[in-house]
Amino acid sequence: MDPFRYFYDVSAAAAASFARGVPVDLAKLVIEPPRNAAHGDIANNLPLIIASQTKGNPIEIGKKLIETFRADEYVAEADLAPPGFINLRLKPAAYHAVLEEILLSGEAYGLSVSGAGRSINVEFVSANPTGPMHVGHCRGAVFGDALANLLEATGAAVTREYYINDAGAQIETLARSAFLRYREALGESIGDIPPGLYPGDYLKPVGRALAEEHGDALLGMSEEAWLPIVSAKTVAMMMDMIRADLAALSIRHDVFSSERALLESGAIPDTIEAMRRQDLVYLGRLPPPKGQLPEDWEDREQTLFRATSFGDDIDRPLRKSDGSYTYFAGDVAYARDKIARGFDELIYVLGADHSGYVKRLKAIARALSGGRVEVSVPIAQLVKLFRGGEPVRMSKRAGEFVTLREVVDEVGSDVVRFMMLYRKNDAPLDFDMAKVLEQSKDN
């Protein structure tokens, strides 16, 4: 017996009896342990739910409902608390029933079929392939994996997906940084890494791999010729590193989607043309952004997605003034690809710096699926790293940040996973690497 599921059913029956067959919307019914353990084992807000729909007095409604709970075989005491909660204290028989079900169910205990038949895509991590994962990626990685596990436990078909941002200026910068390490591997003294390039030692193995594979042949090529070669090799090795970092946390992905492959496939212009036929895009002008205008802002007619018709704050541009596509246009084409794969729900686990994406991602799915596909965008808030109460300094080996692997190696995978789930994903988290290893009553 799952006591929370059981008393949800008891509450539903009590509501139906009270309303004499008139349907009661129980979408906001909450069955949970009271915040104060002195109030009992389980509380529900059924009187408040019914009162909100009947315009009645929740206390008076609760007085009529409470007898149903007092008569239940598993309830020792049932009390009514303002403004309209029913608190239950359970008999030992309730716990015996739970233990019996656990023993009989074995590893299947807690699983359900509530999500059976649903196909859900969970995109999480999607860290830029410009280096090893840092501790800032850790929370979203663990949260996304745990969420996918829970969804699978309901019987849903879950696809874990990683979107590789392997196109654009940052990848060219990465390739130029790796090319320096390639020259270094060939014996050249490269001096200090120039500003704007990636300084981390993690690119040294890439340089050695390029030297072993190509010898000094790349030195005789123009940048236009060697850039795609170095880019492909560097991104591949960075993704191998990222996969290894995730594996250290027992995290895997089923699908790795490439931004570059999306661009080269022609999916973006195909998507925009399809949206044009559905009157989802138009030529128009956007109002200037509030506050001080960015230097690159210009008042011009451009191709816009009717995002405000689907819940967004502004209509979104799809093309830049130079004719290239915006990053948002790639998001639209990528969402269209996911929808075409038949998912019923798309979940994007994003970091705190991407909270502004929530409305636009939901607008995309509503528009492209005709409202069929649900979208959820949980935000993983920031993690602050400490050791013994002192902020952890940046990693010299990584060049710019504390790597995820350093944290896992120091405290262990299970400790990291537990701590990343210790607080709600949308609340900031302080992670003290010394305290989590303490053998004390506070840990």
Side-chain angles (χ1 to χ4, degrees):
M1 180 193 79
D2 175 353
F4 298 99
R5 179 74 249 183
Y6 176 84
F7 283 106
Y8 181 94
D9 294 339
V10 171
S11 300
S17 176
F18 177 88
R20 299 179 182 179
V22 177
V24 177
D25 183 0
L26 298 179
K28 295 185 179 180
L29 176 64
V30 176
I31 311 292
E32 63 183 2
R35 292 183 180 179
N36 186 341
H39 293 163
D41 302 311
I42 288 180
N44 72 58
N45 61 341
L46 185 60
L48 290 170
I49 296 294
I50 295 177
S52 68
Q53 296 174 45
T54 63
K55 309 301 180 185
N57 183 307
I59 295 297
E60 294 303 317
I61 292 172
K63 289 178 181 177
K64 296 176 182 179
L65 291 171
I66 202 166
E67 294 306 322
T68 299
F69 293 93
R70 285 174 176 162
D72 188 88
E73 62 177 314
Y74 293 120
V75 174
E77 298 176 20
D79 299 304
L80 184 62
F85 292 95
I86 292 177
N87 295 325
L88 308 176
R89 193 172 298 281
L90 306 184
K91 293 179 179 178
Y95 299 101
H96 299 163
V98 173
L99 289 172
E100 181 179 12
E101 183 174 348
I102 291 172
L103 292 172
L104 292 174
S105 300
E107 291 187 2
Y109 178 74
L111 305 185
S112 79
V113 295
S114 62
R118 287 184 61 77
S119 179
I120 304 174
N121 181 286
V122 183
E123 183 196 329
F124 62 109
V125 185
S126 296
N128 293 337
T130 53
M133 291 184 62
H134 58 72
V135 71
H137 299 127
C138 184
R139 195 173 191 185
V142 173
F143 175 82
D145 187 55
L147 177 60
N149 289 341
L150 287 170
L151 292 170
E152 285 180 331
T154 70
V158 178
T159 296
R160 295 164 166 83
E161 188 146 347
Y162 188 118
Y163 186 57
I164 308 172
N165 293 279
D166 53 355
Q170 66 174 0
I171 297 301
E172 292 183 358
T173 300
L174 178 69
R176 293 187 181 100
S177 305
F179 192 75
L180 275 181
R181 297 300 188 180
Y182 161 69
R183 288 163 46 194
E184 183 180 44
L186 292 174
E188 182 179 338
S189 176
I190 61 172
D192 294 334
I193 303 297
L197 297 185
Y198 293 98
D201 288 352
Y202 57 84
L203 287 176
K204 288 185 176 182
V206 180
R208 290 193 292 270
L210 287 167
E212 291 171 6
E213 187 172 340
H214 299 280
D216 62 359
L218 300 181
L219 295 177
M221 296 183 183
S222 66
E223 181 179 282
E224 185 179 9
W226 63 251
L227 195 62
I229 298 171
V230 175
S231 293
K233 183 67 174 181
T234 308
V235 169
M237 291 187 67
M238 292 299 97
M239 287 307 303
D240 286 344
M241 184 187 301
I242 287 171
R243 288 187 182 93
D245 289 345
L246 291 171
L249 281 171
S250 302
I251 294 172
R252 63 171 179 81
H253 287 81
D254 305 303
V255 175
F256 287 84
S257 292
S258 161
E259 180 188 3
R260 178 175 294 279
L262 186 77
L263 293 172
E264 293 176 350
S265 71
I268 295 179
D270 286 350
T271 298
I272 294 175
E273 182 55 34
M275 294 171 72
R276 198 184 310 280
R277 292 195 296 270
Q278 299 175 64
D279 195 30
L280 296 175
V281 298
Y282 68 100
L283 287 175
R285 296 175 181 272
L286 288 175
K290 296 179 180 178
Q292 185 175 356
L293 290 179
E295 291 182 3
D296 59 351
W297 186 84
E298 53 183 314
D299 181 15
R300 64 181 180 86
E301 190 173 63
Q302 54 189 318
T303 303
L304 301 172
F305 163 50
R306 298 185 188 278
T308 52
S309 298
F310 301 93
D312 201 355
D313 295 326
I314 61 170
D315 289 343
R316 300 286 175 180
L318 298 171
R319 301 195 77 165
K320 302 176 183 177
S321 57
D322 62 3
S324 63
Y325 297 105
T326 62
Y327 188 84
F328 176 75
D331 287 340
V332 176
Y334 182 39
R336 183 177 180 232
D337 172 73
K338 286 183 178 180
I339 292 168
R341 284 186 262 155
F343 294 110
D344 301 303
E345 183 175 0
L346 306 179
I347 298 176
Y348 299 84
V349 179
L350 301 182
D353 56 338
H354 285 76
S355 58
Y357 279 68
V358 175
K359 288 185 178 180
R360 71 185 73 174
L361 290 173
K362 290 185 175 183
I364 293 169
R366 289 190 190 110
L368 298 182
S369 72
R372 178 187 68 82
V373 175
E374 299 177 26
V375 171
S376 301
V377 191
I379 299 295
Q381 277 292 345
L382 298 175
V383 177
K384 293 182 180 179
L385 205 59
F386 296 85
R387 183 181 285 109
E390 295 296 323
V392 175
R393 293 182 178 181
M394 297 299 181
S395 166
K396 292 180 181 179
R397 178 173 65 83
E400 299 175 356
F401 44 74
V402 179
T403 67
L404 180 151
R405 181 58 70 91
E406 287 173 325
V407 177
V408 172
D409 288 348
E410 181 166 336
V411 304
S413 173
D414 288 345
V415 171
V416 173
R417 287 184 67 100
F418 177 83
M419 289 304 300
M420 292 301 115
L421 299 169
Y422 180 64
R423 294 178 64 87
K424 289 183 179 180
N425 60 287
D426 56 1
L429 175 67
D430 290 347
F431 181 11
D432 193 310
M433 295 198 293
K435 285 190 175 296
V436 298
L437 295 177
E438 276 183 2
Q439 299 296 314
S440 70
K441 64 181 178 61
D442 295 324
N443 184 354

